[in-house]
Amino acid sequence: MELLFPAVSSSSSQIFATPKFKLPIVSLFHHFHPSNSLLLNGSIPSPSSLAFTSVRPLRNPTFSASQHLKTHRRKPPKLIQDSAQRLNYKFRIRALGKDSDGPSRNIDNNVTLVILSSVVTVVLAVANRVFYKLALVPMKEYPFFLAQLTTFGYVAIYFFILYTRYKAGIVTDEMIGLPKSRFMIIGFLEALGVVSGMYSGAMLPGPAIPMLSQTFLVWQLAFSTLLLGRSYSLNKIIGCFLVAAGVIFAVMSGSDNGQMLSGIGLIWPSLMIVSSAFQAGASIIKESVFLDARSHLKGRSLDIFVVNSFGSGFQALFVFLLLPFLSNLKGIPFSQLPSYLKSGAGCLLNAGSTGSGCEGAPLLPLLYVFVNICFNISVLHLVKISSAVVSSLAAMSSVPISICILSLPLPYLPEGVSLSPFFHVGSIVLVMGLILYNIPQPLNERSNIE
């Protein structure tokens, strides 16, 4: 680096400025003071804006008019610019000060966005559970058809939305060109979760299924620590367990604890827990896709429909390959599967003699499909801006609210249900867990969540 100093001749007391020195003395101070505006704004300060850069000619009769000192502004070499940009990025992320209003405002906006997205996710999760129960009123004989409709129908819907966003320029070629290996793993894990969940669910009593499914959150905490390197404070861990315990108390409403799993082998509850592990692993990999895409896309955010479309596509592929096995699990021989699907489609459309007993179709099933799509998009958006654990907490907090709404008289479900004390205890425990999880942490606490 060249410096601008007056050169003093040994043979004369005359002071003069050597013309070959171009870079001002400001550069020296700038590199030794990272608090200067270069690190905060990414630009070189004007010499006139700093007190010590004001250079005046000395009152010496030996100066001539052509020997005045001048300050030259020259763009630093690219290597210096890149280094400054890297310092600027690290400084903004790792050392936010009281004077850094811009980054602090961005953090506040992100927290607000996470809260609003969590509220929307809870509302859609409640609507999803309620409409699923209502959709099973006309489709009570064809739940397997409804499950396959959502699995394969969503692939067409998601890819259509992805295509329109690609044509609009929202989705880029770089997003489409991301490696598909992780999407294949996501689809494979979700397909395994469906198979193991169906197989164990056929052998377990109803109240035990949602209770064992709450291990999903525990698996997410473990996989997030192992695969993403996250560390959770004690209050967050206790808060997650309280949320799971509250949901268990709520779904156990009116059941006999001592007899619920009596006569059931250990393998079936274990298989349901393994099913939750598959689903939790898929959600953590989705989160890692969003995190790693930033480097591939040069800081640009990955569109959620890329993950939704390719993840659902691979899941549908593996479910299709396992379809003979899945149909047998539901008591439908594979040879009779075409006629079963045809009858299910007739009930969905409420057409002809097949539609007898299918009152409420197609309105209720289509409402469920629409709400379920919105819920899946909302959950993935919450994973993108926060984490898989936060999205899981939002979805789980909807369980007591859904039970409370389903206990009321509804269209096509006129009979109400009285709630036991277990439900109220579970709701209180769940709220305590959510509050404990969201207690603000000290600013110096180390966290990998940006």
Side-chain angles (χ1 to χ4, degrees):
M1 177 185 296
E2 297 177 333
L3 305 177
L4 181 59
F5 283 111
V8 181
S9 173
S10 60
S11 60
S12 173
S13 61
Q14 192 175 20
I15 301 176
F16 60 94
T18 306
K20 69 176 182 177
F21 296 122
K22 300 292 184 180
L23 197 61
I25 191 66
V26 176
S27 295
L28 178 63
F29 289 100
H30 143 65
H31 284 289
F32 281 92
H33 293 275
S35 61
N36 283 346
S37 59
L38 174 63
L39 290 179
L40 295 177
N41 301 322
S43 60
I44 298 178
S46 174
S48 61
S49 64
L50 300 176
F52 57 80
T53 60
S54 177
V55 181
R56 299 180 180 179
L58 300 176
R59 298 182 180 274
N60 193 322
T62 59
F63 268 106
S64 64
S66 60
Q67 291 174 332
H68 285 280
L69 293 174
K70 294 182 178 180
T71 303
H72 298 276
R73 293 184 65 189
R74 186 175 65 179
K75 189 176 182 180
K78 187 176 187 301
L79 180 61
I80 298 177
Q81 281 184 321
D82 294 341
S83 175
Q85 291 175 357
R86 287 194 298 269
L87 286 172
N88 183 26
Y89 174 77
K90 293 179 181 178
F91 183 81
R92 287 189 291 106
I93 295 296
R94 301 298 179 188
L96 294 176
K98 294 182 180 180
D99 297 329
S100 303
D101 293 335
S104 300
R105 189 179 299 110
N106 291 335
I107 292 176
D108 294 337
N109 293 337
N110 185 66
V111 171
T112 304
L113 180 60
V114 170
I115 293 174
L116 292 177
S117 299
S118 299
V119 172
V120 172
T121 302
V122 171
V123 172
L124 289 174
V126 172
N128 181 64
R129 293 178 182 274
V130 172
F131 278 111
Y132 176 71
K133 182 66 175 179
L134 293 175
L136 288 178
V137 173
M139 304 294 294
K140 58 182 177 296
E141 300 295 333
Y142 304 99
F144 184 72
F145 171 81
L146 187 61
Q148 303 314 309
L149 175 67
T150 56
T151 299
F152 294 96
Y154 290 174
V155 176
I157 295 173
Y158 285 144
F159 271 101
F160 175 75
I161 298 175
L162 180 65
Y163 176 77
T164 57
R165 294 173 72 84
Y166 176 77
K167 286 297 184 181
I170 301 174
V171 176
T172 63
D173 292 329
E174 290 78 10
M175 295 180 185
I176 300 295
L178 287 175
K180 304 300 186 295
S181 57
R182 291 193 182 183
F183 299 125
M184 185 179 296
I185 296 174
I186 291 171
F188 180 68
L189 290 176
E190 290 183 339
L192 287 180
V194 169
V195 174
S196 55
M198 277 184 155
Y199 200 88
S200 58
M203 308 300 295
L204 291 171
I209 296 175
M211 183 183 71
L212 295 173
S213 298
Q214 304 317 310
T215 56
F216 178 86
L217 183 58
V218 180
W219 286 114
Q220 275 191 330
L221 286 173
F223 290 149
S224 179
T225 302
L226 294 176
L227 301 180
L228 300 181
R230 283 203 169 95
S231 57
Y232 293 91
S233 59
L234 182 61
N235 71 292
K236 291 186 179 294
I237 296 175
I238 297 177
C240 287
F241 279 100
L242 285 178
V243 171
V247 175
I248 291 173
F249 273 97
V251 300
M252 285 169 55
S253 176
S255 63
D256 188 352
N257 282 341
Q259 303 297 325
M260 187 164 52
L261 294 177
S262 62
I264 305 259
L266 182 62
I267 184 173
W268 306 119
S270 302
L271 191 59
M272 179 59 70
I273 295 175
V274 171
S275 172
S276 299
F278 288 138
Q279 299 288 346
S283 67
I284 294 299
I285 295 178
K286 287 179 184 179
E287 184 181 352
S288 69
V289 168
F290 285 116
L291 294 175
D292 295 343
R294 296 175 185 173
S295 59
H296 291 85
L297 302 177
K298 299 178 181 179
R300 186 170 181 179
S301 179
L302 177 63
D303 191 82
I304 61 176
F305 284 97
V306 176
V307 181
N308 256 343
S309 301
F310 287 104
S312 300
F314 282 111
Q315 180 189 0
L317 174 62
F318 288 114
V319 168
F320 177 76
L321 296 177
L322 297 171
L323 200 55
F325 181 67
L326 292 175
S327 63
N328 287 325
L329 285 179
K330 287 299 181 180
I332 307 169
F334 186 69
S335 59
Q336 299 179 10
L337 184 60
S339 61
Y340 171 84
L341 295 177
K342 181 180 178 180
S343 300
C347 183
L348 174 66
L349 300 175
N350 201 3
S353 59
T354 310
S356 59
C358 299
E359 290 78 11
L363 178 61
L364 294 179
L366 292 181
L367 280 175
Y368 163 68
V369 170
F370 174 76
V371 171
N372 188 257
I373 290 176
C374 295
F375 169 67
N376 288 331
I377 294 172
S378 176
V379 167
L380 196 58
H381 178 260
L382 190 55
V383 171
K384 176 182 176 180
I385 64 175
S386 58
S387 67
V389 174
V390 173
S391 65
S392 177
L393 287 172
M396 292 176 67
S397 62
S398 69
V399 175
I401 304 175
S402 304
I403 295 175
C404 183
I405 294 177
L406 289 172
S407 66
L408 303 174
L410 298 173
Y412 300 96
L413 292 173
E415 65 280 359
V417 178
S418 60
L419 299 175
S420 72
F422 283 100
F423 173 80
H424 302 289
V425 172
S427 300
I428 295 174
V429 173
L430 185 146
V431 172
M432 291 174 57
L434 289 175
I435 295 174
L436 187 60
Y437 183 88
N438 290 283
I439 289 177
Q441 297 299 302
L443 293 178
N444 59 355
E445 181 182 351
R446 184 176 179 180
S447 176
N448 292 336
I449 302 177
E450 302 293 347

